[in-house]
Amino acid sequence: MFDDGRSKQILFAAHCILNQNSISDGTAVFPGACREVMDVLTASRVGVVQMPCPELMCLGLDRGNPRGGSFPVVEENTRIRACLGRDAVKLRIQQMVQDLVYQILEYKKYGFQPMGIIGVNRSPSCGVDTTSENNMEIKGKGVFMEALTAALKNNQIAIRVMGIKFSEIPEAVRAVNSLLNNP
Ligand code: SF4
């Protein structure tokens, strides 16, 4: 089954790695995709799953603050993080997490290899190594990544989760190459 042209290797990427239009006001670095990272991924054998953008889906494109782009990033990120703590938002995030877990389990059921998950550091949602809180970039995970990694653990899914920064592209490319070589 599925013995056709596909690689059976799947990688999950934060939405804004493929589409910077989703990112909070004032923080987009690229016109569309983060080309350097996508060049590495498209040259590889992996199929790339674009994860949903939790902030867009829960708070809207302006994150509920039409003036968000005029504030320092970590201040606005701290406000966004507080909004992500609302009950209705937490529920929506859990739904997105469960959809992703379902996809991973389906692929695993048929012998596909989940190669990893790539988040975006400093994000109040998708940060893996760092996030934003108290108007600072701090160590820790964003709200979405916290929920996703907990769900992965609950479902006994072992998969590498790493974060990149759009302001540190050489490091991001190195990290993605490393992930592809050592999933
Ligand atoms: S880091 Fe996450 S929440 Fe922020 S724009 Fe990217 S996908 Fe959306």
Side-chain angles (χ1 to χ4, degrees):
M1 203 171 176
F2 305 122
D3 291 326
D4 46 23
R6 72 190 84 189
S7 69
K8 294 189 172 184
Q9 293 180 328
I10 306 292
L11 183 139
F12 294 79
H15 187 99
C16 57
I17 295 173
L18 290 88
N19 174 29
Q20 292 266 294
N21 291 291
S22 67
I23 211 162
S24 57
D25 193 10
T27 59
V29 177
F30 306 101
C34 174
R35 207 180 64 203
E36 289 86 345
V37 168
M38 289 310 299
D39 280 352
V40 173
L41 294 175
T42 52
S44 76
R45 290 164 47 81
V46 300
V48 180
V49 176
Q50 184 181 28
M51 296 192 290
C53 172
E55 292 175 16
L56 170 60
M57 299 308 289
C58 296
L59 306 176
L61 194 55
D62 72 354
R63 312 315 197 235
N65 181 10
R67 295 180 51 242
S70 62
F71 291 97
V73 174
V74 284
E75 277 183 31
E76 178 59 4
N77 279 356
T78 297
R79 186 196 66 79
I80 291 170
R81 190 182 184 98
C83 294
L84 296 169
R86 294 178 195 148
D87 285 346
V89 172
K90 283 200 260 186
L91 195 61
R92 185 84 177 92
I93 285 175
Q94 276 304 327
Q95 288 166 345
M96 287 188 278
V97 163
Q98 289 311 317
D99 285 347
L100 282 168
V101 167
Y102 170 80
Q103 284 190 63
I104 296 171
L105 289 173
E106 272 299 297
Y107 282 123
K108 281 176 69 69
K109 188 160 84 184
Y110 294 101
F112 289 55
Q113 185 182 12
M115 300 289 285
I117 294 173
I118 307 177
V120 178
N121 285 335
R122 193 184 66 185
S123 163
S125 304
C126 301
V128 175
D129 308 300
T130 66
T131 184
S132 296
E133 201 162 23
N134 301 325
N135 298 335
M136 291 183 292
E137 181 174 0
I138 60 165
K139 285 194 171 151
K141 288 187 172 39
V143 171
F144 178 72
M145 279 297 165
E146 269 175 5
L148 180 56
T149 50
L152 293 170
K153 196 172 171 199
N154 287 343
N155 285 277
Q156 297 172 331
I157 298 171
I159 180 170
R160 270 187 73 190
V161 182
M162 54 151 284
I164 64 165
K165 260 189 168 178
F166 296 124
S167 58
E168 298 171 358
I169 289 303
E171 292 84 351
V173 167
R174 268 200 298 277
V176 172
N177 270 316
S178 159
L179 181 68
L180 292 172
N181 291 324
N182 306 289

